[in-house]
Amino acid sequence: MQVPVSQEVNALLDDATAITLRRGQMYVGVEHLYEAILIKSDLLPLPFLKRHADALRAAPHEMTREAWKGHMPIAGPEVFYTPRCASLANQAARLGQRLSQGNAGAGHLLLAILADAHAAPSRALDRLSLPRGQMIAVLRQELTRGAR
């Protein structure tokens, strides 16, 4: 997938692909990308992480519990990115530019995921009554500040 983002985000996309392949799936969804971000959470702004790390880590279990049980039709021998995943990577690139950070980083990618109410991690956080709106506000503030 060609998206104008940083090497950091491209590495996260590669990590999400590796997670997908370990699970025997042929698509990279937002849930895989979210998991990759959590694994490399040291890339997120520290003040945000100190405040919301526990809440962020609660979502994967809920996503697994409520995971889609169907089978993705195989489009070919290549792993592909779901439209939502590709859209969020593009949104992260725009957020990086808009928030005066240049290339998007892991924080911009997480912000794009959290801001999408229909993304699996966001739905899981909402089902758990965790403060997704507060997470968005704090993360946006930290990214605007350039804290890391």
Side-chain angles (χ1 to χ4, degrees):
M1 174 169 68
Q2 296 296 324
V3 177
V5 293
S6 66
Q7 290 179 340
E8 185 176 291
V9 171
N10 281 327
L12 288 168
L13 290 167
D14 289 343
D15 293 345
T17 301
I19 290 167
T20 293
L21 291 173
R22 278 195 303 271
R23 293 182 182 164
Q25 298 168 325
M26 296 302 290
Y27 66 94
V28 179
V30 178
E31 64 276 17
H32 305 114
L33 195 49
Y34 185 82
E35 186 175 337
I37 292 169
L38 290 183
I39 290 168
K40 292 191 175 172
S41 61
D42 60 312
L43 297 173
L44 298 172
L46 189 56
F48 169 78
L49 200 55
K50 283 182 178 179
R51 193 167 176 182
H52 295 292
D54 290 339
L56 290 171
R57 288 188 176 92
H61 177 70
E62 179 68 10
M63 285 188 292
T64 301
R65 192 176 72 76
E66 292 289 326
W68 178 59
K69 306 293 189 232
H71 295 283
M72 183 70 71
I74 296 181
E78 296 292 320
V79 174
F80 66 94
Y81 294 89
T82 64
R84 184 174 303 279
C85 185
S87 174
L88 289 173
N90 281 313
Q91 178 66 20
R94 287 191 296 275
L95 285 168
Q97 293 170 348
R98 192 177 312 136
L99 297 175
S100 302
Q101 299 294 311
N103 285 334
H108 299 97
L109 195 51
L110 181 59
L111 181 59
I113 291 170
L114 294 174
D116 181 350
H118 299 290
S122 295
R123 292 191 327 263
L125 292 167
D126 291 346
R127 275 193 305 273
L128 294 169
S129 299
L130 294 170
R132 186 171 59 87
Q134 185 181 63
M135 289 180 198
I136 292 169
V138 171
L139 185 54
R140 182 182 301 275
Q141 180 182 14
E142 292 301 323
L143 292 171
T144 301
R145 249 189 229 158
R148 188 135 185 237

